[in-house]
């Protein structure tokens, strides 16, 4: 990883303020918007099928999140996705809760069928189920073993199962052409050939709702900056590095917030506040000695 080249992306996001069109869920929409603002981007939340094409048309990146699908979600996401593809914009997909219902699973598969995605991010259960459905190892017509929108206990990333999960990430990337991101105790960022293990982060990040959705927004901001404003903009290897950096920065902000929470003897509410503060105050100089990215 050419870190010297990519660390400048942190400042570039703040300089260029890429516009991120978010079609996300109502549980975490405010946190996603605030995370994008905090890292330097500019969010626009628009999900009506009649306007999404125009909104995507003025944006630098499209973020799709299936956390709370509604009647018009399929049309909105497809219309926006096709416009993003037409304009060669990065498309970030978070298949939240795939497998908890046949309806949701079908929605995600239809999006992937019609829209070329640039990054797919989810927890280990979500991306395992997505790969199994796409390859026919699991039927899409029935609810699949899940833990709601959280990772199943048996899928928690550990030293024992990180290797097969790396293979899952590579296989899903090969199948979809997207950079895949499996988040957990260790974050796995992968193309079909190359993998990065991100070992930044903390337990507290899993104890607030929306931490994954907020990461989607940070990844979208970095991907937009990488696409529009840097060399290697559309190469998958370049995108791999940009997404790895975004994920590591996000985890490092979590670590710093956890320390402040412990020092103040606070709980999850305090952590949430400190976490957003750390994202908004983070600068390139904070990267020195803090990133924990392993090339695998």
């Amino acid at each position: 990883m050419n870190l010297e080249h990519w660390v400048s992306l942190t400042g570039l996001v703040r300089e260029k303020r890429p516009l991120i069109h978010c079609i996300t869920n109502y549980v975490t929409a405010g946190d996603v918007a605030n995370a994008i603002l905090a890292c330097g981007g500019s969010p626009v939340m628009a999900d009506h099928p009649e306007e999404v094409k125009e909104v995507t048309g003025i944006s630098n990146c499209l973020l799709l999140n299936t956390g709370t699908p509604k009647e018009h979600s399929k049309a909105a996401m497809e219309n926006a996705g096709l416009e993003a593809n037409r304009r060669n914009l990065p498309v970030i997909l978070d298949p939240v809760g795939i497998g908890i219902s046949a309806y949701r699973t079908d929605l995600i598969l239809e999006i992937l069928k019609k829209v070329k995605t640039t990054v797919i991010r989810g927890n280990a259960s979500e991306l395992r189920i997505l790969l199994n459905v796409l390859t026919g190892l699991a039927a899409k017509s029935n609810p699949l073993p899940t833990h709601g929108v959280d990772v199943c206990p048996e899928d928690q990333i550990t030293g024992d199962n990180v290797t097969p999960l790396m293979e899952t990430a590579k296989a899903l990337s090969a199948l979809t052409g997207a950079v895949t991101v499996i988040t957990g105790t260790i974050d796995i960022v992968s193309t079909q050939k190359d993998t990065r293990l991100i070992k930044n982060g903390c337990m507290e990040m899993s104890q607030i709702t929306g931490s994954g959705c907020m990461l989607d927004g940070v990844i979208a901001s970095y991907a937009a900056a990488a696409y529009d404003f840097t060399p290697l903009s559309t190469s998958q290897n370049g995108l791999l590095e940009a997404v790895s950096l975004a994920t590591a920065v996000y985890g490092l902000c979590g670590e710093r917030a956890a320390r402040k929470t412990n020092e103040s003897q606070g709980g999850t509410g305090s952590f949430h506040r400190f976490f957003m503060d750390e994202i908004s105050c983070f600068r390139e100089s904070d990267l020195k000695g803090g990133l924990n990215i392993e090339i695998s």
Side-chain angles (χ1 to χ4, degrees):
M1 182 178 187
N2 186 355
L3 189 59
E4 288 185 3
H5 172 77
W6 288 105
V7 292
S8 63
L9 195 58
T10 300
L12 201 58
V13 174
R14 297 188 184 280
E15 177 186 342
K16 300 298 184 180
R17 296 193 70 238
L19 183 62
I20 312 301
H21 178 194
C22 305
I23 304 179
T24 187
N25 68 77
Y26 59 73
V27 178
T28 64
D31 282 334
V32 172
N34 281 324
I36 292 171
L37 286 167
C39 76
S42 178
V44 55
M45 322 305 267
D47 63 2
H48 196 287
E50 295 299 321
E51 72 167 353
V52 293
K53 182 178 178 181
E54 294 173 79
V55 176
T56 298
I58 63 169
S59 300
N60 301 108
C61 181
L62 174 65
L63 168 57
L64 304 176
N65 177 301
T66 61
T68 51
K70 299 180 284 293
E71 185 177 355
H72 63 257
S73 295
K74 181 173 178 289
M77 292 185 179
E78 288 180 358
N79 291 349
L82 291 171
E83 181 65 12
N85 288 168
R86 190 179 75 81
R87 293 179 176 271
N88 195 34
L89 302 178
V91 178
I92 317 300
L93 174 65
D94 186 342
V96 179
I98 186 171
I100 65 173
S101 71
Y103 172 82
R104 190 179 302 223
T105 301
D106 186 62
L107 167 66
I108 292 164
L109 294 179
E110 284 297 310
I111 293 168
L112 284 170
K113 183 178 179 181
K114 296 182 179 179
V115 177
K116 179 175 175 54
T117 55
T118 313
V119 178
I120 300 174
R121 190 214 67 82
N123 64 43
S125 297
E126 290 165 339
L127 296 204
R128 173 183 56 79
I129 289 170
L130 177 58
L131 179 64
N132 287 346
V133 172
L134 287 173
T135 56
L137 294 178
K140 68 177 182 178
S141 57
N142 298 307
L144 300 168
T146 70
H147 197 68
V149 298
D150 294 325
V151 66
C152 295
E154 61 269 25
D155 286 329
Q156 294 277 0
I157 302 176
T158 66
D160 294 330
N161 67 0
V162 68
T163 298
L165 286 172
M166 288 167 58
E167 292 306 313
T168 295
K170 286 183 176 180
L172 188 56
S173 179
L175 203 59
T176 62
V179 171
T180 52
V181 185
I182 301 178
T183 48
T185 307
I186 301 170
D187 300 318
I188 302 167
V189 183
S190 188
T191 65
Q192 60 180 319
K193 295 181 179 179
D194 300 303
T195 302
R196 305 286 182 262
L197 298 180
I198 315 299
K199 297 184 177 180
N200 292 106
C202 62
M203 176 186 66
E204 288 84 351
M205 293 168 69
S206 67
Q207 297 175 343
I208 58 170
T209 190
S211 60
C213 301
M214 291 161 62
L215 174 57
D216 296 340
V218 175
I219 287 174
S221 300
Y222 277 63
Y227 252 60
D228 281 356
F229 310 120
T230 68
L232 305 174
S233 59
T234 57
S235 77
Q236 198 176 49
N237 282 341
L239 189 64
L240 172 70
E241 308 302 9
V243 173
S244 298
L245 180 63
T247 306
V249 166
Y250 187 76
L252 184 54
C253 288
E255 293 173 15
R256 292 157 62 107
R259 285 196 292 271
K260 289 184 177 180
T261 302
N262 291 334
E263 289 168 2
S264 67
Q265 298 183 325
T268 54
S270 297
F271 174 75
H272 185 280
R273 176 169 56 86
F274 286 130
F275 192 19
M276 199 66 74
D277 284 348
E278 289 297 330
I279 297 171
S280 67
C281 294
F282 198 87
R283 297 296 184 269
E284 287 179 35
S285 58
D286 296 317
L287 293 168
K288 295 179 181 177
L291 294 184
N292 193 348
I293 302 175
E294 181 179 307
I295 299 175
S296 182

